[in-house]
PDB file of all heavy atoms in Angstrom:
ATOM      1  N   SER Y 374      -3.358  17.395 -36.098  1.00  0.00           N
ATOM      2  CA  SER Y 374      -3.638  18.784 -36.458  1.00  0.00           C
ATOM      3  C   SER Y 374      -2.661  19.206 -37.550  1.00  0.00           C
ATOM      4  O   SER Y 374      -1.475  18.851 -37.518  1.00  0.00           O
ATOM      5  CB  SER Y 374      -3.491  19.689 -35.237  1.00  0.00           C
ATOM      6  OG  SER Y 374      -2.170  19.652 -34.735  1.00  0.00           O
ATOM      7  N   LEU Y 375      -3.166  19.933 -38.518  1.00  0.00           N
ATOM      8  CA  LEU Y 375      -2.332  20.381 -39.620  1.00  0.00           C
ATOM      9  C   LEU Y 375      -1.306  21.387 -39.110  1.00  0.00           C
ATOM     10  O   LEU Y 375      -1.650  22.385 -38.487  1.00  0.00           O
ATOM     11  CB  LEU Y 375      -3.189  21.024 -40.706  1.00  0.00           C
ATOM     12  CG  LEU Y 375      -2.410  21.553 -41.918  1.00  0.00           C
ATOM     13  CD1 LEU Y 375      -1.764  20.405 -42.685  1.00  0.00           C
ATOM     14  CD2 LEU Y 375      -3.322  22.365 -42.836  1.00  0.00           C
ATOM     15  N   ILE Y 376      -0.043  21.097 -39.379  1.00  0.00           N
ATOM     16  CA  ILE Y 376       1.043  22.022 -39.077  1.00  0.00           C
ATOM     17  C   ILE Y 376       1.633  22.461 -40.413  1.00  0.00           C
ATOM     18  O   ILE Y 376       2.087  21.616 -41.195  1.00  0.00           O
ATOM     19  CB  ILE Y 376       2.116  21.364 -38.190  1.00  0.00           C
ATOM     20  CG1 ILE Y 376       1.506  20.955 -36.842  1.00  0.00           C
ATOM     21  CG2 ILE Y 376       3.296  22.305 -37.985  1.00  0.00           C
ATOM     22  CD1 ILE Y 376       2.435  20.163 -35.961  1.00  0.00           C
ATOM     23  N   ILE Y 377       1.588  23.746 -40.680  1.00  0.00           N
ATOM     24  CA  ILE Y 377       2.055  24.255 -41.967  1.00  0.00           C
ATOM     25  C   ILE Y 377       3.502  24.690 -41.814  1.00  0.00           C
ATOM     26  O   ILE Y 377       3.806  25.710 -41.194  1.00  0.00           O
ATOM     27  CB  ILE Y 377       1.164  25.420 -42.454  1.00  0.00           C
ATOM     28  CG1 ILE Y 377      -0.299  24.951 -42.551  1.00  0.00           C
ATOM     29  CG2 ILE Y 377       1.656  25.927 -43.809  1.00  0.00           C
ATOM     30  CD1 ILE Y 377      -1.277  26.045 -42.908  1.00  0.00           C
ATOM     31  N   GLU Y 378       4.403  23.866 -42.345  1.00  0.00           N
ATOM     32  CA  GLU Y 378       5.831  24.142 -42.230  1.00  0.00           C
ATOM     33  C   GLU Y 378       6.242  25.239 -43.213  1.00  0.00           C
ATOM     34  O   GLU Y 378       5.615  25.431 -44.254  1.00  0.00           O
ATOM     35  CB  GLU Y 378       6.629  22.870 -42.495  1.00  0.00           C
ATOM     36  CG  GLU Y 378       6.277  21.708 -41.566  1.00  0.00           C
ATOM     37  CD  GLU Y 378       6.746  21.916 -40.136  1.00  0.00           C
ATOM     38  OE1 GLU Y 378       7.442  22.927 -39.868  1.00  0.00           O
ATOM     39  OE2 GLU Y 378       6.410  21.084 -39.271  1.00  0.00           O
ATOM     40  N   GLY Y 379       7.340  25.922 -42.883  1.00  0.00           N
ATOM     41  CA  GLY Y 379       7.714  27.136 -43.608  1.00  0.00           C
ATOM     42  C   GLY Y 379       8.064  26.950 -45.067  1.00  0.00           C
ATOM     43  O   GLY Y 379       7.833  27.848 -45.882  1.00  0.00           O
ATOM     44  N   ASN Y 380       8.624  25.798 -45.429  1.00  0.00           N
ATOM     45  CA  ASN Y 380       9.104  25.624 -46.797  1.00  0.00           C
ATOM     46  C   ASN Y 380       8.182  24.706 -47.599  1.00  0.00           C
ATOM     47  O   ASN Y 380       8.619  23.748 -48.233  1.00  0.00           O
ATOM     48  CB  ASN Y 380      10.533  25.052 -46.779  1.00  0.00           C
ATOM     49  CG  ASN Y 380      11.171  25.082 -48.148  1.00  0.00           C
ATOM     50  OD1 ASN Y 380      10.876  25.959 -48.955  1.00  0.00           O
ATOM     51  ND2 ASN Y 380      12.031  24.108 -48.435  1.00  0.00           N
ATOM     52  N   THR Y 381       6.880  25.000 -47.545  1.00  0.00           N
ATOM     53  CA  THR Y 381       5.906  24.204 -48.280  1.00  0.00           C
ATOM     54  C   THR Y 381       5.053  25.113 -49.160  1.00  0.00           C
ATOM     55  O   THR Y 381       4.970  26.327 -48.938  1.00  0.00           O
ATOM     56  CB  THR Y 381       4.977  23.422 -47.325  1.00  0.00           C
ATOM     57  OG1 THR Y 381       4.247  24.365 -46.514  1.00  0.00           O
ATOM     58  CG2 THR Y 381       5.767  22.491 -46.419  1.00  0.00           C
ATOM     59  N   ALA Y 382       4.391  24.496 -50.130  1.00  0.00           N
ATOM     60  CA  ALA Y 382       3.520  25.266 -51.014  1.00  0.00           C
ATOM     61  C   ALA Y 382       2.391  25.928 -50.228  1.00  0.00           C
ATOM     62  O   ALA Y 382       2.000  27.069 -50.507  1.00  0.00           O
ATOM     63  CB  ALA Y 382       2.956  24.358 -52.103  1.00  0.00           C
ATOM     64  N   MET Y 383       1.875  25.218 -49.209  1.00  0.00           N
ATOM     65  CA  MET Y 383       0.776  25.790 -48.424  1.00  0.00           C
ATOM     66  C   MET Y 383       1.252  26.998 -47.617  1.00  0.00           C
ATOM     67  O   MET Y 383       0.515  27.986 -47.471  1.00  0.00           O
ATOM     68  CB  MET Y 383       0.169  24.726 -47.510  1.00  0.00           C
ATOM     69  CG  MET Y 383      -1.085  25.181 -46.798  1.00  0.00           C
ATOM     70  SD  MET Y 383      -1.960  23.831 -45.949  1.00  0.00           S
ATOM     71  CE  MET Y 383      -2.799  23.042 -47.328  1.00  0.00           C
ATOM     72  N   ALA Y 384       2.481  26.942 -47.111  1.00  0.00           N
ATOM     73  CA  ALA Y 384       3.014  28.091 -46.377  1.00  0.00           C
ATOM     74  C   ALA Y 384       3.133  29.306 -47.297  1.00  0.00           C
ATOM     75  O   ALA Y 384       2.848  30.439 -46.896  1.00  0.00           O
ATOM     76  CB  ALA Y 384       4.372  27.742 -45.777  1.00  0.00           C
ATOM     77  N   ARG Y 385       3.537  29.071 -48.531  1.00  0.00           N
ATOM     78  CA  ARG Y 385       3.638  30.192 -49.483  1.00  0.00           C
ATOM     79  C   ARG Y 385       2.252  30.753 -49.798  1.00  0.00           C
ATOM     80  O   ARG Y 385       2.089  31.976 -49.951  1.00  0.00           O
ATOM     81  CB  ARG Y 385       4.343  29.711 -50.751  1.00  0.00           C
ATOM     82  CG  ARG Y 385       5.834  29.393 -50.518  1.00  0.00           C
ATOM     83  CD  ARG Y 385       6.572  29.139 -51.811  1.00  0.00           C
ATOM     84  NE  ARG Y 385       6.219  27.860 -52.410  1.00  0.00           N
ATOM     85  CZ  ARG Y 385       6.809  26.705 -52.099  1.00  0.00           C
ATOM     86  NH1 ARG Y 385       7.768  26.654 -51.176  1.00  0.00           N
ATOM     87  NH2 ARG Y 385       6.448  25.584 -52.713  1.00  0.00           N
ATOM     88  N   GLN Y 386       1.237  29.879 -49.862  1.00  0.00           N
ATOM     89  CA  GLN Y 386      -0.134  30.366 -50.065  1.00  0.00           C
ATOM     90  C   GLN Y 386      -0.594  31.222 -48.899  1.00  0.00           C
ATOM     91  O   GLN Y 386      -1.281  32.233 -49.086  1.00  0.00           O
ATOM     92  CB  GLN Y 386      -1.078  29.173 -50.248  1.00  0.00           C
ATOM     93  CG  GLN Y 386      -0.926  28.438 -51.573  1.00  0.00           C
ATOM     94  CD  GLN Y 386      -1.842  27.235 -51.643  1.00  0.00           C
ATOM     95  OE1 GLN Y 386      -1.655  26.235 -50.945  1.00  0.00           O
ATOM     96  NE2 GLN Y 386      -2.878  27.335 -52.475  1.00  0.00           N
ATOM     97  N   LEU Y 387      -0.224  30.821 -47.676  1.00  0.00           N
ATOM     98  CA  LEU Y 387      -0.574  31.620 -46.504  1.00  0.00           C
ATOM     99  C   LEU Y 387       0.087  32.994 -46.564  1.00  0.00           C
ATOM    100  O   LEU Y 387      -0.554  34.011 -46.294  1.00  0.00           O
ATOM    101  CB  LEU Y 387      -0.148  30.897 -45.224  1.00  0.00           C
ATOM    102  CG  LEU Y 387      -1.013  29.736 -44.741  1.00  0.00           C
ATOM    103  CD1 LEU Y 387      -0.368  29.081 -43.527  1.00  0.00           C
ATOM    104  CD2 LEU Y 387      -2.418  30.217 -44.379  1.00  0.00           C
ATOM    105  N   ARG Y 388       1.365  33.004 -46.933  1.00  0.00           N
ATOM    106  CA  ARG Y 388       2.084  34.281 -46.989  1.00  0.00           C
ATOM    107  C   ARG Y 388       1.499  35.214 -48.048  1.00  0.00           C
ATOM    108  O   ARG Y 388       1.538  36.434 -47.892  1.00  0.00           O
ATOM    109  CB  ARG Y 388       3.571  34.028 -47.248  1.00  0.00           C
ATOM    110  CG  ARG Y 388       4.300  33.407 -46.054  1.00  0.00           C
ATOM    111  CD  ARG Y 388       5.805  33.485 -46.208  1.00  0.00           C
ATOM    112  NE  ARG Y 388       6.308  32.601 -47.242  1.00  0.00           N
ATOM    113  CZ  ARG Y 388       6.715  31.345 -47.045  1.00  0.00           C
ATOM    114  NH1 ARG Y 388       6.659  30.821 -45.827  1.00  0.00           N
ATOM    115  NH2 ARG Y 388       7.187  30.627 -48.039  1.00  0.00           N
ATOM    116  N   ARG Y 389       0.964  34.629 -49.120  1.00  0.00           N
ATOM    117  CA  ARG Y 389       0.347  35.454 -50.166  1.00  0.00           C
ATOM    118  C   ARG Y 389      -1.096  35.827 -49.839  1.00  0.00           C
ATOM    119  O   ARG Y 389      -1.747  36.550 -50.592  1.00  0.00           O
ATOM    120  CB  ARG Y 389       0.381  34.705 -51.504  1.00  0.00           C
ATOM    121  CG  ARG Y 389       1.783  34.512 -52.075  1.00  0.00           C
ATOM    122  CD  ARG Y 389       1.724  34.052 -53.523  1.00  0.00           C
ATOM    123  NE  ARG Y 389       1.055  32.777 -53.688  1.00  0.00           N
ATOM    124  CZ  ARG Y 389       1.672  31.587 -53.757  1.00  0.00           C
ATOM    125  NH1 ARG Y 389       3.006  31.529 -53.651  1.00  0.00           N
ATOM    126  NH2 ARG Y 389       0.989  30.475 -53.925  1.00  0.00           N
ATOM    127  N   GLY Y 390      -1.606  35.323 -48.718  1.00  0.00           N
ATOM    128  CA  GLY Y 390      -2.973  35.632 -48.326  1.00  0.00           C
ATOM    129  C   GLY Y 390      -4.024  34.816 -49.046  1.00  0.00           C
ATOM    130  O   GLY Y 390      -5.220  35.138 -48.980  1.00  0.00           O
ATOM    131  N   GLU Y 391      -3.617  33.754 -49.724  1.00  0.00           N
ATOM    132  CA  GLU Y 391      -4.573  32.911 -50.458  1.00  0.00           C
ATOM    133  C   GLU Y 391      -5.298  31.945 -49.527  1.00  0.00           C
ATOM    134  O   GLU Y 391      -6.374  31.457 -49.859  1.00  0.00           O
ATOM    135  CB  GLU Y 391      -3.831  32.134 -51.545  1.00  0.00           C
ATOM    136  CG  GLU Y 391      -3.193  33.030 -52.603  1.00  0.00           C
ATOM    137  CD  GLU Y 391      -2.241  32.279 -53.515  1.00  0.00           C
ATOM    138  OE1 GLU Y 391      -2.203  31.036 -53.445  1.00  0.00           O
ATOM    139  OE2 GLU Y 391      -1.542  32.935 -54.305  1.00  0.00           O
ATOM    140  N   LEU Y 392      -4.701  31.648 -48.380  1.00  0.00           N
ATOM    141  CA  LEU Y 392      -5.307  30.779 -47.375  1.00  0.00           C
ATOM    142  C   LEU Y 392      -5.231  31.470 -46.025  1.00  0.00           C
ATOM    143  O   LEU Y 392      -4.367  32.328 -45.792  1.00  0.00           O
ATOM    144  CB  LEU Y 392      -4.578  29.432 -47.301  1.00  0.00           C
ATOM    145  CG  LEU Y 392      -4.625  28.525 -48.533  1.00  0.00           C
ATOM    146  CD1 LEU Y 392      -3.743  27.305 -48.301  1.00  0.00           C
ATOM    147  CD2 LEU Y 392      -6.050  28.099 -48.856  1.00  0.00           C
ATOM    148  N   GLN Y 393      -6.108  31.071 -45.122  1.00  0.00           N
ATOM    149  CA  GLN Y 393      -6.124  31.633 -43.777  1.00  0.00           C
ATOM    150  C   GLN Y 393      -5.536  30.626 -42.806  1.00  0.00           C
ATOM    151  O   GLN Y 393      -5.885  29.440 -42.841  1.00  0.00           O
ATOM    152  CB  GLN Y 393      -7.552  31.998 -43.362  1.00  0.00           C
ATOM    153  CG  GLN Y 393      -7.636  32.717 -42.022  1.00  0.00           C
ATOM    154  CD  GLN Y 393      -9.052  33.195 -41.721  1.00  0.00           C
ATOM    155  OE1 GLN Y 393      -9.960  33.039 -42.540  1.00  0.00           O
ATOM    156  NE2 GLN Y 393      -9.240  33.772 -40.545  1.00  0.00           N
ATOM    157  N   ALA Y 394      -4.657  31.081 -41.917  1.00  0.00           N
ATOM    158  CA  ALA Y 394      -4.020  30.190 -40.949  1.00  0.00           C
ATOM    159  C   ALA Y 394      -5.061  29.627 -39.979  1.00  0.00           C
ATOM    160  O   ALA Y 394      -6.025  30.320 -39.617  1.00  0.00           O
ATOM    161  CB  ALA Y 394      -2.945  30.944 -40.180  1.00  0.00           C
ATOM    162  N   PRO Y 395      -4.889  28.378 -39.542  1.00  0.00           N
ATOM    163  CA  PRO Y 395      -5.825  27.782 -38.577  1.00  0.00           C
ATOM    164  C   PRO Y 395      -5.837  28.569 -37.272  1.00  0.00           C
ATOM    165  O   PRO Y 395      -4.804  29.084 -36.823  1.00  0.00           O
ATOM    166  CB  PRO Y 395      -5.255  26.368 -38.366  1.00  0.00           C
ATOM    167  CG  PRO Y 395      -4.409  26.095 -39.568  1.00  0.00           C
ATOM    168  CD  PRO Y 395      -3.853  27.428 -39.975  1.00  0.00           C
ATOM    169  N   ASP Y 396      -7.003  28.664 -36.650  1.00  0.00           N
ATOM    170  CA  ASP Y 396      -7.169  29.343 -35.371  1.00  0.00           C
ATOM    171  C   ASP Y 396      -6.995  28.325 -34.240  1.00  0.00           C
ATOM    172  O   ASP Y 396      -7.607  27.261 -34.265  1.00  0.00           O
ATOM    173  CB  ASP Y 396      -8.566  29.977 -35.297  1.00  0.00           C
ATOM    174  CG  ASP Y 396      -8.838  30.574 -33.942  1.00  0.00           C
ATOM    175  OD1 ASP Y 396      -8.327  31.667 -33.677  1.00  0.00           O
ATOM    176  OD2 ASP Y 396      -9.545  29.929 -33.141  1.00  0.00           O
TER     177      ASP Y 396
END
Side-chain angles (χ1 to χ4, degrees):
S374 62
L375 179 66
I376 298 174
I377 303 175
E378 302 289 355
N380 190 31
T381 62
M383 188 170 282
R385 291 189 288 274
Q386 289 177 290
L387 283 175
R388 289 194 290 269
R389 292 193 299 264
E391 297 169 9
L392 296 175
Q393 186 174 357
D396 174 78

